[in-house]
Amino acid sequence: MLKFEGVKKHYEDFELDLTLEVPEGYVTGLIGANGAGKSTAFKAALGLIRPDAGVVKMLGKNVEDFTVQDKEWIGVVLADSGFSGYLRVKDILPMLESMYHKFQKEDFLEMCKKYQLPLDKKIKEFSTGMKRKLQIAAAVSHGADVLLLDEPTAGLDVMARDDMLEILREYMETPGRSILISSHISTDLEGICDDIYMIDEGKILLHEETDKLLDQYGLLKVKADQYEALDKAYILAHKKEEYGYSCLTNERQYYQENYSDITIEKGKIDDVIIMMKRGQQE
């Protein structure tokens, strides 16, 4: 559905170097700190910037060759964009109808009702969560096959994030759809993403299926002598600590079965990010 094939974009103080794929039926997460390259990747996917090398393909077509009609198959929410605050929801209805031939007005209005988005209130008076839910509702209401969501949960409280994720789960109930979603909040992605890419300084550090990451990864906490005696065949990275070392593994069960005297914690996405970024790679 969406492929970044050796995509490179060079700036004075930053370079994107990205190979990534979002298969049909997948929700793929792109996670990393602010400034890691997530927004640059989304701009490349939307044809807003031209790569210095490589190609971005969506729905089997180079995005640089997309027509206005092709773009109707894409739903987009960007972190730094939205509707004018001086408009009301009922003001944007004719805009959406004119922009998208397959705009599903009734579905859109039903979502507005469900998530308490008043039609007559100016958008500038909406909370951050209400504005983001409005963006999501618009993105999923015109029959798009691919959703591109850049930091859609930024600034949202727990209930607003849960509402947003519910909208996305309902969207994915229709076959033949895919989502690329970015966030620096790992817990937002754990419950919805099929796989996760971790990006740092424009490069992918790790790509893993979410279930495998949560079920098989682990953090070993060992003393210096234990670290020296440790079989490091399944250690991805290690970091010096006051007590000795912390080690990231993608085979937690192996160490549980063979090293009963060391502390082993279940892997969390945040732990993986920290270890892959700050730890020493094996």
Side-chain angles (χ1 to χ4, degrees), residues 103-112:
F103 177 62
Q104 299 151 355
K105 182 178 179 180
E106 296 305 317
D107 290 346
F108 176 80
L109 290 173
E110 183 62 31
M111 274 190 281
C112 289

Side-chain angles (χ1 to χ4, degrees), residues 60-114:
K61 189 173 183 179
N62 189 327
V63 297
E64 293 184 1
D65 299 326
F66 264 34
T67 65
V68 173
Q69 289 74 27
D70 291 329
K71 292 178 181 179
E72 291 196 28
W73 296 106
I74 308 170
V76 181
V77 174
L78 299 179
D80 54 358
S81 67
F83 297 105
S84 169
Y86 292 95
L87 296 175
R88 297 163 296 180
V89 174
K90 69 179 184 180
D91 296 327
I92 69 173
L93 281 171
M95 296 168 53
L96 294 171
E97 287 180 301
S98 65
M99 290 172 61
Y100 302 111
H101 293 93
K102 293 187 177 182
F103 177 62
Q104 299 151 355
K105 182 178 179 180
E106 296 305 317
D107 290 346
F108 176 80
L109 290 173
E110 183 62 31
M111 274 190 281
C112 289
K113 180 180 179 180
K114 181 177 181 179

Side-chain angles (χ1 to χ4, degrees), residues 7-280:
V7 173
K8 295 185 179 182
K9 183 65 179 179
H10 179 75
Y11 296 98
E12 184 176 346
D13 56 352
F14 175 81
E15 183 173 62
L16 181 73
D17 185 355
L18 184 62
T19 294
L20 177 154
E21 181 175 1
V22 184
E24 181 177 332
Y26 267 57
V27 180
T28 293
L30 182 62
I31 192 166
N34 292 330
K38 301 188 299 295
S39 294
T40 304
F42 276 77
K43 290 175 182 177
L46 292 168
L48 299 177
I49 59 173
R50 184 182 294 271
D52 298 323
V55 64
V56 184
K57 293 183 179 180
M58 196 181 312
L59 301 171
K61 189 173 183 179
N62 189 327
V63 297
E64 293 184 1
D65 299 326
F66 264 34
T67 65
V68 173
Q69 289 74 27
D70 291 329
K71 292 178 181 179
E72 291 196 28
W73 296 106
I74 308 170
V76 181
V77 174
L78 299 179
D80 54 358
S81 67
F83 297 105
S84 169
Y86 292 95
L87 296 175
R88 297 163 296 180
V89 174
K90 69 179 184 180
D91 296 327
I92 69 173
L93 281 171
M95 296 168 53
L96 294 171
E97 287 180 301
S98 65
M99 290 172 61
Y100 302 111
H101 293 93
K102 293 187 177 182
F103 177 62
Q104 299 151 355
K105 182 178 179 180
E106 296 305 317
D107 290 346
F108 176 80
L109 290 173
E110 183 62 31
M111 274 190 281
C112 289
K113 180 180 179 180
K114 181 177 181 179
Y115 297 107
Q116 300 179 327
L117 304 176
L119 303 185
D120 293 317
K121 191 174 183 179
K122 288 187 177 180
I123 295 172
K124 69 177 182 178
E125 298 174 12
F126 283 15
S127 67
T128 300
M130 292 168 69
K131 291 176 182 176
R132 198 53 52 88
K133 281 183 278 189
L134 176 60
Q135 289 177 278
I136 296 287
V140 302
S141 295
H142 59 86
D145 285 337
V146 180
L147 286 189
L148 301 177
L149 310 176
D150 185 20
E151 295 280 1
T153 61
L156 303 188
D157 60 31
V158 173
M159 293 304 297
R161 291 204 301 271
D162 188 63
D163 286 342
M164 188 212 71
L165 294 175
E166 181 182 358
I167 294 173
L168 299 184
R169 291 188 186 100
E170 291 177 355
Y171 167 84
M172 287 300 294
E173 289 176 0
T174 299
R177 291 177 167 178
S178 297
I179 299 176
L180 177 63
I181 179 172
S182 76
S183 180
H184 62 277
I185 304 172
S186 63
T187 52
D188 289 343
L189 303 186
E190 289 180 2
I192 192 171
C193 289
D194 298 289
D195 64 337
I196 290 176
Y197 287 83
M198 296 182 185
I199 188 171
D200 183 60
E201 296 182 356
K203 295 179 175 59
I204 297 299
L205 293 183
L206 181 72
H207 172 223
E208 192 62 89
E209 293 181 3
T210 308
D211 288 345
K212 182 176 179 180
L213 194 155
L214 296 174
D215 293 341
Q216 298 183 24
Y217 278 60
L219 197 64
L220 316 182
K221 296 186 175 181
V222 298
K223 298 176 182 178
D225 60 329
Q226 292 174 319
Y227 176 76
E228 293 301 324
L230 197 67
D231 179 356
K232 301 178 181 62
Y234 306 109
I235 300 297
L236 302 179
H238 69 275
K239 186 160 69 80
K240 188 76 173 68
E241 308 282 5
E242 289 184 5
Y243 56 80
Y245 294 90
S246 56
C247 305
L248 177 68
T249 178
N250 58 353
E251 291 290 347
R252 185 178 75 250
Q253 185 174 351
Y254 171 80
Y255 292 97
Q256 288 174 329
E257 293 174 350
N258 293 281
Y259 295 89
S260 59
D261 58 336
I262 66 175
T263 300
I264 304 175
E265 297 178 353
K266 189 173 182 178
K268 298 178 181 178
I269 293 179
D270 285 343
D271 294 330
V272 176
I273 294 171
I274 292 171
M275 289 297 297
M276 294 301 295
K277 180 173 174 59
R278 297 182 179 175
Q280 183 174 338

